[in-house]
Amino acid sequence: NSRWCLTGLTALVTGGTRGIGHAIVEELAELGARVHTCSRNEAELSCCLQEWASKGFTVTGSVCDASSSSQRQQLLDKASSLFDGKLNILINNVGTNIRKPTIEYTIEEYSMIMATNLESAFHLGQLAYPLLKASGVGSIVFISSVAGLVHVGSGSIYGASKGAMNQFTKNLACEWAKDNIRCNCVAPWYIRTSLVEHLLENKEFLDKIISQTPLRRPGEPKEVSSLVAFLCMPASSYITGQIISVDGGMTVHGFS
Ligand code: NDP
């Protein structure tokens, strides 16, 4: 049933070599999409590309630092030439964090987090727009965080970058609906990836996470990629402008 697959569609996924991005690349490719991805580490990228080729997936990749404007332009040029000037799916997944009290951040740290998390998503959206429009049916998914919805103690700059991303999703959804481009946002709580594994290794910290989470565990990357894939399918064709949490119930957990 073509409503529930991605056969014939093209996708660009940023940050696909580890964690949530890696799971998204695999999920989209398994469902039939042709995927282009990127990361900053050439060796890790080629290792992933080999692994995907051996699984029979159609995945290509380029080295790109998504926080650099010129490298973002090069990434889109590459995707455009690979996919004949058309793109169905853009996944803005790259993101990073520095955790510390607000008064301890330097202006350089502010700029680095904002450039990686927000500016990259904004600019890649701009650059991908003509390709998404040309394809006739487009879907953008932003990987945000519950930290953009509620205070979770992961740092105020990270929270601000994700909160802005949530609103940007709504603006784009309305602005680009006329071009048949849907825009949605996925907001995860703790997911076991290289970004947070060191935190989850601390038993006290993990117990605190579990106590705030009705499903009583952190999530797995596959539990995020399944929603992302759904948001790119024809089956979700009337869903746009939404921020959907993948959080084991954390954001609806009041006092108990
Ligand atoms: P990881 O750090 O595990 O993986 C990040 C991926 O993106 C890697 O492939 C990394 O490769 C790549 N990447 C990072 N920075 C850049 C950059 N500047 N340019 C290009 N590629 C880059 O992160 P997660 O999978 O955990 O996070 C993915 C997204 O999910 C982020 O936006 C994060 O904020 C969000 N998120 C994660 C949560 C979690 O608990 N894990 C919770 C909520 C949201 P390389 O470093 O080699 O470039």
Side-chain angles (χ1 to χ4, degrees):
N1 187 329
S2 63
R3 290 175 66 231
W4 295 94
C5 75
L6 301 170
T7 306
L9 301 184
T10 55
L12 175 60
V13 180
T14 63
T17 56
R18 293 195 307 278
I20 294 170
H22 186 272
I24 293 171
V25 169
E26 295 213 328
E27 193 89 58
L28 300 186
E30 259 171 45
L31 289 160
R34 281 187 290 154
V35 184
H36 189 72
T37 191
C38 74
S39 83
R40 293 166 299 182
N41 183 321
E42 184 162 22
E44 203 175 16
L45 183 63
S46 40
C47 187
C48 286
L49 291 174
Q50 271 178 23
E51 182 193 322
W52 289 322
S54 73
K55 290 182 178 177
F57 299 154
T58 311
V59 185
T60 50
S62 29
V63 173
C64 166
D65 182 344
S67 68
S68 148
S69 174
S70 59
Q71 292 186 38
R72 291 191 292 258
Q73 182 71 60
Q74 285 166 10
L75 179 67
L76 257 291
D77 290 347
K78 179 75 190 171
S80 183
S81 70
L82 277 167
F83 301 143
D84 301 320
K86 295 180 196 141
L87 185 68
N88 300 107
I89 297 164
L90 170 65
I91 314 294
N92 282 302
N93 165 70
V94 160
T96 194
N97 196 13
I98 298 169
R99 292 160 183 267
K100 51 165 79 168
T102 296
I103 57 164
E104 290 178 16
Y105 284 108
T106 65
I107 197 69
E108 288 76 21
E109 289 170 335
Y110 175 90
S111 299
M112 191 279 283
I113 297 171
M114 281 297 186
T116 306
N117 296 5
L118 184 61
E119 186 189 303
S120 72
F122 174 82
H123 189 210
L124 287 170
Q126 281 185 323
L127 293 170
Y129 171 74
L131 285 79
L132 291 161
K133 188 177 171 180
S135 76
V137 50
S139 174
I140 303 179
V141 180
F142 296 94
I143 307 303
S144 178
S145 167
V146 293
L149 298 167
V150 294
H151 171 73
V152 295
S154 60
S156 58
I157 304 174
Y158 184 78
S161 74
K162 298 299 191 178
M165 180 179 256
N166 295 350
Q167 180 57 37
F168 184 53
T169 301
K170 298 180 194 180
N171 291 103
L172 279 197
C174 297
E175 201 178 319
W176 292 352
K178 64 172 179 18
D179 304 305
N180 203 25
I181 300 169
R182 295 183 296 110
C183 303
N184 291 288
C185 190
V186 171
W189 175 227
Y190 277 92
I191 305 296
R192 286 193 180 279
T193 71
S194 62
L195 187 68
V196 301
E197 198 58 61
H198 63 288
L199 299 167
L200 301 179
E201 275 165 12
N202 178 328
K203 189 180 179 308
E204 211 177 309
F205 188 82
L206 179 62
D207 285 347
K208 203 172 146 193
I209 301 298
I210 288 170
S211 73
Q212 299 299 317
T213 309
L215 287 178
R216 301 200 65 77
R217 61 176 176 84
E220 298 295 331
K222 277 268 162 208
E223 296 179 299
V224 180
S225 63
S226 48
L227 173 61
V228 174
F230 171 68
L231 290 171
C232 300
M233 288 177 185
S236 65
S237 53
Y238 203 53
I239 302 175
T240 196
Q242 301 306 303
I243 298 149
I244 305 173
S245 297
V246 179
D247 67 353
M250 190 282 281
T251 52
V252 298
H253 180 235
F255 180 78
S256 67

